[in-house]
C-alpha cells in the first residue's frame, strides 16, 4: 500500500534490492522468500520475535535522486504481487514525467505530493472503522490474512507475543486473535510453525500453572490441546479469548454473525496498537457487568464511571463507591459489598445542581427526583463534565409520567391478589370472591409483623426504584416478603419495573397481535395450560387459565427464538398470583432474557450449563458425596427440575415462593446455595444409597417436607407428597432454617465466580449438544446414503462448517434464512450454490478443471427441489452419494449425462427419470467388465424403443466428449482413457448418422443448421479412421478434443500465476436452435465457432446408446468402477486453508525467480 513518504538513511541495511531505475528502488526484506543464507534466517527470526514485520512489510519501494544520500520510503507490500502493482504504476505514470524536471528537489517534492494525493484519495473510500485503527495494527491485520489465507471479512481483534508448546519445545511467535479464529505463527531459523483454530471448535479454555513453565493458557478442541505461555499480560489475553469463544458459542446457538456495536461511545483518541474491535469488546464486557450489577435492560450502554462518595441519611455518613452514568440511569455501588446500592432512572430526575464546595464536602452534586427524594454525591473529580453529560442525557429522555405515581398498595390480602391476577388486560372485568371457593379471608391474609418491618424500611430507605438497597434490605428479603408487597418488590429487584415503565401499552398491543394466531408455540401452550399448578384453586377455572394463556402467548410472540418451553407455565402461574398480567409479563421477560439466560430455549442450554456448574460446585464443596452421586447418576437428574422451576415443582408452594423472593434479590447464586444445602442435609443417607431410585426418593421426601411455619394462609396441596411413604411421617424442615443454613455453609459463593464457571461449562455443554445433533442426523440419513457412519459424521462437520463460515464471511442469504431451528436437525442447516460449489470441488470424484463450477451449479439445480436456492444436509448427501457409486458403472455414467450436457432444468429431470432403470441392474463386486458389459447391453436392448434422454444436436454430444476428457485429464491412465473416449465418440457419431436416415429421410432446412467453432490445428494421437460417411463429424470430435487438451494445459499454466480464468463461454439459445435451453446455460469447453463445419438437427442418439458404447471400453469401465477414497478428499478439504497459504507463498517464490 502507499504510505506517507518517510526518510530512510540506510537503504541497504537488512534489505535486498531487486529492481531499480533512476528514481525508484524495489527492495525485499532479508529472510523473506528463498535464499538469503544464515543472515536471511536470522533477520526472519528477529522479524517474528520482535514483531518488526508488523512495522516493516517484507517489500518496499524507495524514491531516490542521483546525488542525494537520502531515500524516501513511499510504498510497502505484504506480497510480491501487491508491490509489483505499485512498481508498474510508477513506471507507467511517473517515469516519463520525472525525466522532464531539472532540479532534484523538485522531483522529490513532486513525488511526495503525488503519493500523498493518492493516499488522500484512498482514504475517502475507506470505512470509518478502518480509519480509526492505527497504521501498525492495519499492517498486522494484513500480515495475518497473508499468513493464514483469511479473506478481507475476517477482522483481527488483537495480537500478542507468546510461546506455543509444540510437543515439549516452546516456539516463540505471535498469536493472532480474530473474530472467528485463533491463529499462531512462528519462524525460528527456518523452522515455520502455523496454527489455525476456529473458535466454534473450542471445547475448553482455561489458565494452567505448572511447575516447569510459567502460567499458560490451554485451548482444547475435540481432537487436541494447545498450550500458550510467556504472555506479557496473560489476564488480558485470557479475557479476550473468553469473549471471542462466547461469541462463537452464540453463533452456534443463534446463527448470528458478530457485528460492531455502533452505539458505543467513541474514544477521545485512537489508542496505539488497539483495534476498534478490541475497544468494542472491552466496552461490551463493561456494559454486561454494569447491566448485571443493577439488573438493567439489554439496550443500556454505560457512558462512564467515576469514584465518589454518597451521603446516606439513614446512616448519617458518606459511603465511598463509584457512580455509573448511562443513557437512562445514574447508579451507585459502594466499594464494600452490600453496604449501599442505588439506581436513579433519569426519567425520575427533576433537578441536577452543583452545590457549593467546602473542605468537608468537596465538589458536591445534588440530584432530586419527582418523588421528593434528594441524593448528595461528593468528591467528584470532574464535576463540570459529569453535569454536562447528565444534562445531555436528560434532554434525550422522554417526559413520561411515572407509573409508580399510581396508588401503591401498602396492605392487602390474598383475596386482593387473586382478584387482581384474573383481571383482563383492559381491567374492566371484576371477579366475584364467591366464585373462588376455599380462598382465605382478608384477615387470614394479613402478615402484620413483616408488613410493619417493611413499612419502617420504606420510611428510612425510601420506596420505589430509587430506594436505597442495603444489607438491611437483604435481611428483610431473607425473612420473607409479605404477600401484599411481593409483586411490587419482585418487579423492583428484577428490574422489570423499569422496563414496564418505559414501554407503556406494549403488553396490550402484543396480546392483540398474538391472540388468535396458531403456531407451534401456541399449540404447546394449550397442552400445558391445565398442567400449571392444577392443585391451586386460582387455576381451576377458565378465567385463571385465560390470563395464563395471554401472558405466555404474548411472550412467545415477542421472542420467537424462545417461543415457549415447558416449565415457563409453572413459573408464570406463580407470577400471576401476585401481579397483574402486564407485571407478570415483564417479570417473565426479566427471567427469560436476563436472570436465567438461555434457560427456556429449545435445548434449555442455560439450565444444562447451570446443572454442570452445580456438579462442579458439588465436587468442590462436597467431594465425598460428589463421587457417590456420580456413580448413581443422580445430580444430572434432579438438578434440572430444581433450576428450571426454581424449586416450585418439587417443594410445597408456601416454601418455594420464599426461595423465589431470595432469587429475585440475590440472583441464581441463592438457588445454588440451597441446592448444596439440600445435598448436605441428606449426605449420610445419600452415601448409603444402593441405586438411583433410592436417592431420588430420599431427596423427594425431604423437599416435600420443607414447610413454611410462618405462613398464615391455608396450605396448598403438593403433587409430590405422594412420594411420602411409611408408617412414620418424616420430620418437617423449616424453610427459613434451610435458607439460613445455605448462607452459613455456602454463602461464600460469588456471582462473578459463578459467571466464570458458567463460561467454562457453556463451552462443554454446547459442543456436547452439537455432537448429539450430529449423531442424530447421521443415524437418520445413514440408510439412504452410500457412506459409512464415520464418513457421514465427517461430511456433516464439513457441511456445517460451510454454513457457519457463511454466517461471518457473508453469503447470498441471511443466517436466519439458512437456519430454521423448528425443523429436524438434518434439515436445519442449509447452504447456497456458492458453498455447495466449494464442497463439490473438494469432494466430488470427477474433477473437470475450470469447468467444475458449471457441473456443480447444474447438480445444485437438480438437488434444490423447492427452488429456494438452498439445500440441506440430506439433499447434499443424496447428491454426493449419486456421484460416488460403489460398484456400478451405469450409476456413474448415468450421473454424468444430465449435469455435463447443456440441458435445461426440465430436460435434466427427464434425463434422470429416463435412466432410472439402471439402478436396478447393479453388477456384483468381482464381476469382469465384459460380463458387466453384456448385462448392461441387455438392458440397452430392452429400452431402445424409449428414445428419451437424447443428444439432439451434435454440438451437445461433442461437449459431452470434451467434458469427459476434462474429467480424465489428471488420471494416471489419461492417454488410454483419451483413446477410449475417441473410439466411443467415433462409434456414436456413426450410430447417429445411421439413425438420421430413418427420420424425415435426412431432410433439412437451411435455417436449421448449426455452425461449430474452429478447432486449433494440433497433432492428436488417435487412430485414423477410413474415409466414409460420418468422417467429417469424427474430424470435428477430434478437433474438439484437441481444444479440450489445450484448455486443460492452459488452465494448469494459469494456475501457476495464482489466477483462475474460466475457459468456457456462453452460448445463446439462438445459436443452438433450441428453445428449451435456458438463458443461463453454459456449454462446457465451447470455444469460437468453426466455419465450414455444418451439423444438422436430425442427428440424434440416446443415452442408452452412449452407455452401451462406453461399456465396450475397459479403461472407461475401470474408471467409473474405481472406488472413491472419500476420507482422503475430506482430509484435504479440512486442510484447504493451509494449502491455500502454501500456494500463495509458492507463487511469490516462482515470481521471484522469473523476475530475478
Amino acid at each position: 500500500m502507499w504510505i506517507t513518504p518517510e526518510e530512510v538513511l540506510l537503504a541497504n541495511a537488512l534489505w535486498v534490492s531487486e529492481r531499480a531505475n533512476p528514481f525508484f528502488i524495489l527492495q525485499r526484506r532479508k529472510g523473506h522468500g528463498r535464499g538469503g543464507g544464515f543472515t536471511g534466517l536470522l533477520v526472519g527470526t528477529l522479524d517474528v520475535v520482535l514483531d518488526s514485520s508488523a512495522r516493516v512489510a517484507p517489500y518496499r519501494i524507495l524514491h531516490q535522486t542521483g546525488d542525494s544520500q537520502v531515500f524516501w520510503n513511499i510504498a510497502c507490500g505484504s506480497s510480491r504481487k501487491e508491490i509489483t502493482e505499485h512498481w508498474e504504476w510508477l513506471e507507467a505514470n511517473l517515469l516519463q514525467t520525472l525525466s522532464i524536471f531539472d532540479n532534484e528537489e523538485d522531483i522529490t517534492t513532486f513525488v511526495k505530493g503525488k503519493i500523498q494525493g493518492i493516499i488522500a484519495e484512498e482514504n475517502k473510500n475507506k470505512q470509518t472503522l478502518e480509519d480509526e485503527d492505527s497504521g501498525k495494527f492495519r499492517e498486522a491485520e494484513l500480515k495475518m490474512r497473508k499468513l493464514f489465507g483469511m479473506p478481507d471479512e475476517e477482522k483481527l481483534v488483537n495480537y500478542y507475543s507468546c510461546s506455543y508448546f509444540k510437543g515439549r519445545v516452546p516456539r516463540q511467535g505471535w498469536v493472532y486473535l480474530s473474530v472467528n479464529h485463533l491463529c499462531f505463527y512462528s519462524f525460528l531459523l527456518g523452522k515455520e510453525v502455523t496454527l489455525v483454530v476456529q473458535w466454534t471448535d473450542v471445547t475448553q479454555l482455561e489458565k494452567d500453572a505448572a511447575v516447569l513453565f510459567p502460567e499458560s493458557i490451554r485451548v482444547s478442541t475435540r481432537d487436541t490441546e494447545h498450550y500458550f505461555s510467556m504472555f506479557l499480560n496473560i489476564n488480558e489475553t485470557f479475557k479476550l479469548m473468553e469473549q471471542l469463544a462466547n461469541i462463537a458459542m452464540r453463533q452456534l446457538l443463534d446463527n448470528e454473525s458478530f457485528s460492531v456495536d455502533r452505539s458505543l461511545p467513541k474514544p477521545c483518541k485512537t489508542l496505539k496498537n488497539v483495534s476498534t474491535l478490541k475497544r468494542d469488546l472491552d466496552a461490551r464486557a463493561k456494559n454486561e457487568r454494569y447491566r448485571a450489577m443493577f439488573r438493567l435492560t439489554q439496550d443500556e450502554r454505560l457512558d462512564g464511571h467515576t469514584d465518589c462518595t454518597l451521603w446516606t441519611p439513614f446512616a448519617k455518613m458518606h459511603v465511598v463507591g463509584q457512580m455509573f452514568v448511562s443513557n437512562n440511569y445514574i447508579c451507585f455501588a459502594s466499594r464494600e459489598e452490600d453496604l449501599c446500592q442505588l439506581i436513579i432512572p433519569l426519567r425520575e430526575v427533576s433537578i441536577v445542581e452543583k452545590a457549593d464546595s467546602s473542605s468537608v464536602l468537596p465538589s458536591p452534586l445534588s440530584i432530586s427526583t419527582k418523588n421528593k427524594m434528594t441524593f448528595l454525591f461528593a468528591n467528584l473529580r470532574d464535576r463540570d463534565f459529569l453535569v454536562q453529560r447528565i444534562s445531555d442525557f436528560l434532554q434525550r429522555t422522554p417526559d413520561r409520567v411515572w407509573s409508580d405515581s399510581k396508588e401503591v398498595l401498602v396492605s392487602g390480602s390474598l383475596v386482593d391478589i387473586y382478584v387482581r391476577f384474573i383481571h383482563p388486560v383492559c381491567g374492566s372485568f371484576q371477579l366475584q370472591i364467591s366464585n373462588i371457593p376455599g380462598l382465605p379471608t382478608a384477615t387470614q391474609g394479613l402478615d402484620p409483623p413483616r408488613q410493619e418491618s417493611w413499612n419502617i424500611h420504606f420510611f428510612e430507605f425510601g420506596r420505589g426504584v430509587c430506594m436505597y438497597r442495603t444489607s438491611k434490605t437483604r435481611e428483610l428479603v431473607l425473612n420473607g416478603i409479605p404477600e401484599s408487597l411481593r409483586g411490587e418488590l419482585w418487579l423492583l429487584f428484577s428490574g422489570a419495573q423499569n422496563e414496564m415503565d418505559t414501554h407503556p401499552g406494549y403488553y396490550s398491543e402484543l396480546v392483540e397481535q398474538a391472540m388468535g394466531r396458531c403456531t407451534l408455540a401456541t399449540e404447546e401452550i394449550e397442552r400445558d395450560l391445565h398442567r400449571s399448578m392444577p392443585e391451586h384453586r386460582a387455576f381451576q377455572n377458565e378465567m385463571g387459565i385465560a390470563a395464563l394463556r395471554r401472558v405466555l402467548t404474548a411472550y412467545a410472540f415477542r421472542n420467537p427464538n424462545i417461543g415457549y418451553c415447558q416449565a415457563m407455565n409453572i413459573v408464570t402461574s406463580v407470577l400471576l398470583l401476585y401481579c397483574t398480567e402486564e407485571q407478570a409479563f415483564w417479570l417473565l421477560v426479566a427471567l427469560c432474557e436476563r436472570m436465567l439466560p438461555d434457560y427456556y430455549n429449545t435445548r434449555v442450554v442455560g439450565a444444562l450449563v447451570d446443572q454442570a456448574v452445580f456438579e462442579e460446585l458439588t465436587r468442590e464443596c462436597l467431594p465425598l458425596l460428589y463421587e457417590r452421586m456420580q456413580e448413581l447418576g443422580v445430580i444430572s437428574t434432579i438438578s434440572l427440575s430444581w433450576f428450571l422451576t426454581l424449586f416450585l415443582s418439587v417443594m410445597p408452594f408456601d416454601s418455594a415462593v420464599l426461595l423465589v423472593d431470595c432469587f429475585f434479590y440475590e440472583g441464581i447464586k441463592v438457588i445454588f446455595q440451597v441446592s448444596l444445602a439440600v445435598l448436605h442435609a441428606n449426605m449420610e443417607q445419600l452415601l448409603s444409597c444402593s441405586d438411583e431410585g433410592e436417592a431420588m426418593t430420599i431427596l423427594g421426601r425431604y423437599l416435600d417436607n420443607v414447610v413454611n411455619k410462618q405462613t398464615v394462609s391455608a396450605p396448598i396441596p403438593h403433587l409430590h407428597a405422594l412420594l411420602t411413604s411409611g408408617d412414620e411421617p418424616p420430620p418437617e424442615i423449616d424453610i427459613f432454617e434451610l435458607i439460613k443454613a445455605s448462607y452459613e455453609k455456602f454463602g461464600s459463593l460469588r456471582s462473578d465466580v459463578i459467571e466464570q464457571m458458567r463460561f467454562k461449562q457453556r463451552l462443554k455443554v454446547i459442543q456436547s449438544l452439537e455432537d448429539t445433533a450430529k449423531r442424530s442426523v447421521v443415524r437418520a440419513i445413514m440408510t439412504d446414503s452410500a457412506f459409512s457412519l464415520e464418513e457421514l459424521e465427517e461430511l456433516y462437520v464439513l457441511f456445517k462448517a460451510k454454513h457457519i463460515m457463511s454466517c461471518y464471511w457473508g453469503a447470498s442469504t441471511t443466517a436466519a434464512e439458512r437456519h430454521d431451528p423448528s425443523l429436524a436437525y438434518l434439515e436445519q442447516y442449509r447452504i447456497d450454490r456458492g458453498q455447495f460449489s466449494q464442497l463439490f470441488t473438494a469432494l466430488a470424484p470427477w474433477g473437470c478443471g475450470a469447468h467444475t463450477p458449471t457441473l456443480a451449479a447444474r447438480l445444485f439445480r437438480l438437488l434444490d427441489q423447492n427452488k429456494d436456492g438452498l439445500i440441506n444436509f440430506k439433499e447434499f448427501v443424496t447428491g454426493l452419494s449419486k456421484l460416488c457409486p460403489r460398484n456400478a458403472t451405469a450409476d456413474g455414467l448415468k450421473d454424468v449425462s444430465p449435469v455435463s450436457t447443456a440441458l435445461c432444468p426440465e430436460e435434466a429431470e427427464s434425463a434422470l427419470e429416463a435412466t432410472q432403470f439402471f439402478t436396478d441392474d447393479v453388477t456384483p463386486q468381482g464381476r469382469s467388465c465384459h460380463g458387466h458389459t453384456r448385462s448392461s447391453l441387455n438392458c440397452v436392448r430392452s429400452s431402445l424403443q424409449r428414445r428419451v434422454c437424447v443428444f439432439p444436436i451434435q454440438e451437445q454430444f461433442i461437449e459431452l466428449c470434451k467434458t469427459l476428457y476434462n474429467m480424465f485429464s489428471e488420471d494416471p491412465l489419461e492417454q488410454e482413457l483419451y483413446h477410449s473416449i475417441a473410439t466411443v465418440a467415433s462409434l456414436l457419431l456413426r450410430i447417429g448418422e445411421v439413425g438420421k436416415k430413418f427420420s424425415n429421410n435426412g431432410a433439412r432446412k437451411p435455417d436449421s443448421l448449426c455452425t461449430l467453432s474452429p478447432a486449433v490445428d494440433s497433432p492428436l494421437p488417435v487412430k485414423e479412421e477410413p474415409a466414409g460417411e460420418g468422417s467429417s463429424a469424427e474430424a470435428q470430435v477430434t478437433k474438439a478434443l484437441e481444444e479440450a487438451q489445450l484448455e486443460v494445459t492452459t488452465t494448469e499454466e494459469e494456475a501457476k500465476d495464482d489466477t483462475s480464468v474460466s475457459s468456457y463461454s456462453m452460448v445463446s439459445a439462438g445459436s443452438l436452435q433450441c428453445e428449451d435451453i435456458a438463458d443461463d446455460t453454459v456449454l462446457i469447453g465451447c470455444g469460437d465457432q468453426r466455419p465450414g463445419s455444418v451439423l444438422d438437427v436430425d442427428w440424434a442418439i440416446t443415452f442408452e446408446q452412449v452407455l452401451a458404447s462406453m461399456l465396450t471400453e475397459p479403461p472407461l469401465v475401470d474408471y467409473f468402477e474405481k472406488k472413491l477414497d472419500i476420507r482422503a478428499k475430506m482430509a484435504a478439504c479440512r486442510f484447504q486453508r493451509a494449502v491455500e497459504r502454501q500456494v500463495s507463498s509458492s507463487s511469490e517464490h516462482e515470481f521471484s525467480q522469473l523476475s530475478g
Side-chain angles (χ1 to χ4, degrees), residues 2 18-27 60-62 75 81-93 95:
W2 301 107
E18 295 194 342
R19 293 187 182 183
N21 58 44
F23 302 103
F24 302 103
I25 302 175
L26 189 154
Q27 293 186 327
R60 71 180 182 182
I61 297 177
L62 301 180
K81 180 180 179 181
E82 178 186 5
I83 202 67
T84 303
E85 290 177 355
H86 289 355
W87 178 265
E88 291 175 351
W89 186 91
L90 291 172
E91 288 184 331
N93 296 278
L95 280 186

Side-chain angles (χ1 to χ4, degrees), residues 132-158:
E132 291 178 356
D133 292 337
S134 64
K136 177 181 177 181
F137 188 87
R138 286 200 298 269
E139 291 184 13
E141 188 172 44
L142 291 174
K143 176 186 175 184
M144 178 205 71
R145 293 172 183 165
K146 174 179 177 293
L147 289 174
F148 306 104
M150 300 291 179
D152 293 341
E153 292 84 358
E154 185 69 3
K155 301 298 182 183
L156 177 65
V157 180
N158 213 348

Side-chain angles (χ1 to χ4, degrees), residues 522-564:
T522 57
E523 292 176 1
E524 294 175 347
I525 289 171
E526 290 298 326
R527 285 199 300 267
D528 289 347
L529 282 176
H530 294 278
R531 306 174 189 170
S532 307
M533 296 187 67
E535 69 275 13
H536 200 290
R537 292 192 177 270
F539 295 96
Q540 294 174 356
N541 60 81
E542 184 55 34
M543 286 179 290
I545 295 296
L548 181 61
R549 178 187 293 112
R550 287 191 291 269
V551 174
L552 292 174
T553 304
Y555 184 78
F557 186 77
R558 164 191 166 90
N559 192 343
N561 290 333
I562 292 179
Y564 171 77

Side-chain angles (χ1 to χ4, degrees), residues 176-425:
Y176 297 86
L177 305 181
S178 67
V179 173
N180 305 295
H181 295 86
L182 180 153
C183 307
F184 177 83
Y185 179 77
S186 174
F187 181 85
L188 296 177
L189 299 178
K191 299 294 184 179
E192 185 181 44
V193 176
T194 58
L195 173 70
V196 178
V197 177
Q198 285 190 359
W199 290 116
T200 51
D201 293 335
V202 175
T203 58
Q204 191 171 1
L205 186 66
E206 60 184 355
K207 287 192 292 186
D208 285 338
V211 178
L212 299 179
F213 51 89
E215 196 172 21
S216 62
I217 296 176
R218 182 176 65 178
V219 180
S220 302
T221 63
R222 292 180 178 84
D223 304 322
T224 184
E225 294 181 345
H226 307 283
Y227 290 87
F228 303 90
S229 64
M230 302 296 289
F231 290 95
L232 294 177
N233 190 340
I234 191 171
N235 292 326
E236 175 190 338
T237 308
F238 185 71
K239 287 180 180 178
L240 181 57
M241 287 183 173
E242 282 185 330
Q243 283 183 284
L244 295 172
N246 257 328
I247 292 172
M249 296 304 106
R250 182 57 55 188
Q251 287 179 351
L252 290 177
L253 282 178
D254 302 333
N255 281 268
E256 294 181 357
S257 60
F258 173 81
S259 59
V260 178
D261 191 345
R262 300 293 183 182
S263 63
L264 294 175
K266 301 289 184 182
C268 298
K269 60 179 181 179
T270 300
L271 301 177
K272 185 179 180 181
N273 301 335
V274 177
S275 68
T276 305
L277 287 176
K278 177 66 166 62
R279 294 195 298 269
D280 183 352
L281 291 174
D282 290 342
R284 289 184 186 217
K286 291 180 181 179
N287 285 332
E288 289 173 2
R289 289 194 297 268
Y290 170 64
R291 291 192 293 258
M293 183 185 300
F294 299 104
R295 305 279 172 80
L296 302 178
T297 58
Q298 296 295 329
D299 58 350
E300 200 62 26
R301 300 290 185 269
L302 178 64
D303 187 71
H305 59 88
T306 182
D307 294 332
C308 67
T309 60
L310 172 66
W311 172 255
T312 53
F314 53 87
K316 302 296 189 293
M317 60 180 291
H318 291 279
V319 176
V320 179
Q322 281 189 324
M323 174 192 286
F324 301 83
V325 178
S326 60
N327 47 329
N328 293 299
Y329 298 91
I330 300 173
C331 302
F332 175 85
S334 60
R335 186 175 299 173
E336 183 181 345
E337 190 177 7
D338 290 334
L339 187 58
C340 182
Q341 192 181 81
L342 182 65
I343 301 174
I344 308 174
L346 291 181
R347 66 179 183 274
E348 298 301 316
V349 174
S350 58
I351 301 174
V352 177
E353 58 182 352
K354 294 182 287 187
D356 295 333
S357 296
S358 65
S359 58
V360 179
L361 202 63
S363 302
L365 178 66
S366 174
I367 300 177
S368 301
T369 63
K370 296 175 182 178
N371 61 351
K372 309 304 180 184
M373 294 184 69
T374 301
F375 305 96
L376 184 62
F377 299 91
N379 292 283
L380 295 165
R381 286 184 295 180
D382 199 346
R383 184 179 59 170
D384 294 339
F385 177 77
L386 178 62
V387 170
Q388 182 61 46
R389 293 299 296 166
I390 295 175
S391 176
D392 294 340
F393 287 129
L394 283 173
Q395 291 177 3
R396 305 173 198 166
T397 303
D399 186 16
R400 290 198 180 100
V401 179
W402 184 34
S403 61
D404 281 0
S405 61
K406 302 175 183 178
E407 182 181 356
V408 179
L409 291 176
V410 177
S411 61
S413 66
L414 285 176
V415 175
D416 297 328
I417 304 284
Y418 294 139
V419 171
R420 201 163 66 243
F421 123 80
I422 44 179
H423 280 186
V425 180

Side-chain angles (χ1 to χ4, degrees), residues 419-436:
V419 171
R420 201 163 66 243
F421 123 80
I422 44 179
H423 280 186
V425 180
C426 301
S428 60
F429 182 79
Q430 296 291 330
L431 176 68
Q432 300 295 327
I433 297 178
S434 60
N435 292 340
I436 311 180

